[in-house]
Amino acid sequence: MNILFVSAEVAPFSKAGGLADVAGSLPGALTPYAESVGIISPLYGHINKKQFDIIATEVSGEVALGMEHIPYTMFMAEHPNGSIPVWFVSNDRFFARNGIYTKADGEGFKDNIQRYFFFQLVVLDLLNKRVFDVDILHCNDHHTGLLPSMTKSLDMKIKSIFTIHNFLYHGHFSKEDSKLLPDVFSGSYTLTQWDNYSSLLEGIDNADRVNTVSPGYARELLAGDNVDANSLIRLRYAEHKFSGIVNGIDTKYWDPENDQYTPHHFSAESLEGKLKNKIELLTSMGLDTDVKAPVLGLISRLVENKGFPLIVKLLDEFVKRGVKFVFLGSGDPIIAAQLRKACVKHPRKIAFDDGFNEPLAHLIEAGSDMFLMPSRFEPCGLNQLYSLRYGTIPIVNNTGGLGDTVENWQPGSGTGFVFDSYDLNSLRAAMKRAIDTFRLKEEWTDLIKRGMSKDFSWDQSAKQYLNLYEI
Ligand code: GLC
């Protein structure tokens, strides 16, 4: 089996969210079972070619987008996780800028539709030219949603898998936009209720197998949670080929015993390093360093559905209870402003780093006592898994992958604090329970150890993907 993994982001080269982590770690877990596994993604301007040894190849070509013929060249690197070839599509006009989907201020690029049409047409061109042997084309999210129908309509002997990492983002495009695509494709899409097309739904309609990143989220989607009526019909139509596979994590990159970014290492047997990281975290963020009080960490894109409307309402109250907060993330300027305001009000209790900061993300996981993840919905979520591995107790809403991976604490069992309905009182109650339990020293240490002993490596899930590939 030769597998090509197609993704708009791949860690550690480019990352906007969890998709990058999956694209950077699942292929490595598949290699022992496949003849070949490769990854293909755009070469964005901010990717450091020197740092990653990314080199130009002889492969180049051009694709037609509307009336234009647009050239591309291919670059390549070996993924640092193992000997997986990563192919990069290079084109100055579309990709040589900083940012993946948006400018630094969070505003989406105006030509995103053209950029990902172009990316997909290049993938198709390379498949046509047999630059690599591919039996399985593993597409991810809407940026790659047109490839399943493209390969089908060209009668390529390639099976396609489409993975939904987030149903919120459809990659809608208009009838006018569709005319940019070669005639063979442009007439074949299904209209949505808004009289446009959805790249996400096209992927769902046309792929040989469709999955999302947890069984819980798969159930919620089929039940119509946060899904419009028209999309639901198409989802249900795909039910026979639809499943949920929970994400794994890169256990080498996220390893408390061996983390390149944290000053102190620790394990379930020896937790002193965790306390030292807590002091390091508090000091470096300019917060009070009394270690007896709990620290809640949060790392997230700043978007409404990650639970910020609830969180910001509880900050004053929990600061009064002695809790400290560390936030890391970028996105919605309104949420960023709310967090900054909270920092000004409680300078020694709340800290916020507005940006993308990989070393700090690791230090937050390693140095916090609890991790806040009250998402309104969550396809899988990875930070709660990193948290469990780092002995940082997750506080989560019972939704999607969060419900699948965190078990609610009871004396003597469970791995985190889970609440059942997305509202202020439920989150408040879960946070209170967490803080009360934090004071029970032995109980808390047991809770930490139970979480740290869970296995979230990719192997189990990779085997489930292999089953999908055996179409
Ligand atoms: C998206 C989802 C997140 C998931 C990640 C990787 O970012 O929002 O829940 O973990 O994709 O699949």
Side-chain angles (χ1 to χ4, degrees):
M1 218 186 282
N2 299 292
I3 304 159
L4 183 65
F5 204 87
V6 195
S7 174
E9 0 170 341
V10 184
F13 310 102
S14 56
K15 174 169 167 176
L19 167 62
D21 289 1
V22 173
S25 56
L26 170 58
L30 295 168
T31 30
Y33 308 103
E35 219 161 289
S36 77
V37 184
I39 305 173
I40 186 162
S41 195
L43 186 63
Y44 301 105
H46 68 271
I47 297 177
N48 187 332
K49 293 213 260 312
K50 272 216 186 87
Q51 179 192 353
F52 295 114
D53 248 332
I54 300 175
I55 50 164
T57 72
E58 304 276 285
V59 184
S60 65
E62 62 173 33
V63 297
L65 201 62
M67 305 298 277
E68 290 181 275
H69 288 265
I70 305 181
Y72 67 86
T73 53
M74 296 303 296
F75 284 68
M76 246 187 120
E78 204 164 83
H79 196 281
N81 260 355
S83 52
I84 307 159
V86 187
W87 292 86
F88 291 98
V89 177
S90 169
N91 169 276
D92 285 352
R93 169 167 151 202
F94 287 139
F95 299 127
R97 58 187 89 162
N98 289 340
I100 300 178
Y101 314 118
T102 66
K103 295 190 238 167
D105 63 6
E107 196 191 321
F109 294 128
K110 295 270 181 305
D111 57 352
N112 275 341
I113 288 168
Q114 288 89 321
R115 294 169 79 221
Y116 292 102
F117 278 1
F118 174 73
F119 174 56
Q120 295 178 87
L121 290 171
V122 172
V123 174
L124 199 69
D125 195 44
L126 296 167
L127 292 172
N128 254 330
K129 289 181 180 156
R130 303 201 131 261
V131 170
F132 20 64
D133 270 331
V134 177
D135 307 304
I136 301 288
L137 192 67
H138 191 150
C139 306
N140 295 275
D141 273 355
H142 69 84
H143 327 93
T144 61
L146 303 182
L147 278 167
S149 64
M150 287 175 169
T151 51
K152 227 191 211 171
S153 63
L154 296 185
D155 246 345
M156 292 178 153
K157 299 245 161 329
I158 293 176
K159 301 286 182 193
S160 57
I161 308 291
F162 185 68
T163 299
I164 305 164
H165 296 264
N166 197 333
F167 198 80
L168 186 67
Y169 304 108
H170 277 253
H172 283 127
F173 58 99
S174 66
K175 289 179 193 166
E176 206 47 43
D177 296 327
S178 76
K179 293 183 190 141
L180 291 171
L181 296 166
D183 289 345
V184 265
F185 309 129
S186 61
S188 62
Y189 302 122
T190 307
L191 284 171
T192 71
Q193 70 188 72
W194 296 281
D195 209 34
N196 59 12
Y197 302 116
S198 154
S199 303
L200 182 83
L201 292 171
E202 290 301 327
I204 294 170
D205 291 348
N206 293 296
D208 293 296
R209 291 285 182 276
V210 180
N211 81 300
T212 187
V213 288
S214 70
Y217 192 59
R219 276 195 306 275
E220 288 170 17
L221 288 181
L222 288 174
D225 293 0
N226 300 303
V227 178
D228 66 275
N230 182 286
S231 298
L232 186 57
I233 294 170
R234 288 167 74 175
L235 254 177
R236 291 218 172 123
Y237 199 73
E239 191 168 351
H240 66 283
K241 57 176 182 181
F242 186 56
S243 61
I245 302 177
V246 75
N247 286 330
I249 59 172
D250 181 339
T251 50
K252 282 202 196 105
Y253 186 65
W254 291 99
D255 180 4
E257 292 186 61
N258 223 334
D259 189 313
Q260 57 177 311
Y261 296 118
T262 59
H264 308 284
H265 293 152
F266 60 98
S267 64
E269 290 71 46
S270 146
L271 285 166
E272 301 91 69
K274 183 159 179 64
L275 187 64
K276 290 185 186 158
N277 283 321
K278 179 172 174 178
I279 297 170
E280 180 73 29
L281 175 67
L282 293 171
T283 317
S284 64
M285 299 304 283
L287 298 179
D288 284 345
T289 50
D290 64 309
V291 289
K292 289 226 172 64
V295 175
L296 265 77
L298 184 151
I299 306 164
S300 172
R301 280 178 295 121
L302 306 183
V303 287
E304 170 276 330
N305 58 60
K306 298 290 181 179
F308 289 101
L310 303 185
I311 295 166
V312 292
K313 288 203 188 90
L314 292 172
L315 292 177
D316 286 346
E317 178 182 336
F318 277 87
V319 164
K320 266 191 214 124
R321 290 175 198 273
V323 175
K324 288 191 280 285
F325 293 89
V326 180
F327 296 102
L328 167 63
S330 59
D332 184 347
I334 297 175
I335 298 173
Q338 288 169 329
L339 295 178
R340 265 196 298 274
K341 204 169 137 198
C343 294
V344 172
K345 195 161 173 198
H346 306 285
R348 305 284 295 164
K349 307 289 181 193
I350 302 180
F352 168 44
D353 185 326
D354 182 352
F356 185 79
N357 184 336
E358 202 61 11
L360 179 60
H362 285 246
L363 186 60
I364 290 176
E365 290 293 5
S368 303
D369 297 298
M370 301 159 202
F371 194 88
L372 204 49
M373 213 162 163
S375 311
R376 186 160 60 77
F377 66 89
E378 193 63 70
C380 177
L382 295 168
N383 280 312
Q384 84 279 15
L385 305 180
Y386 303 147
S387 297
L388 289 168
R389 194 160 158 78
Y390 281 71
T392 300
I393 308 304
I395 302 172
V396 303
N397 181 20
N398 186 5
T399 183
L402 296 175
D404 286 341
T405 54
V406 184
E407 297 152 51
N408 195 21
W409 173 82
Q410 304 287 336
S413 73
T415 53
F417 295 88
V418 185
F419 59 97
D420 280 317
S421 93
Y422 181 79
D423 59 52
L424 201 61
N425 282 336
S426 307
L427 172 59
R428 177 189 286 122
M431 286 168 69
K432 273 192 192 158
R433 264 191 308 135
I435 289 161
D436 291 343
T437 312
F438 178 76
R439 303 211 167 91
L440 312 175
K441 223 165 171 339
E442 255 175 57
E443 190 64 51
W444 193 259
T445 310
D446 286 350
L447 176 57
I448 290 179
K449 289 185 176 170
R450 274 198 300 276
M452 289 183 83
S453 70
K454 296 274 170 207
D455 178 8
F456 291 109
S457 59
W458 265 109
D459 207 49
Q460 282 303 323
S461 301
K463 287 191 180 127
Q464 294 180 47
Y465 274 104
L466 289 166
N467 277 336
L468 287 197
Y469 299 158
E470 307 270 345
I471 302 164

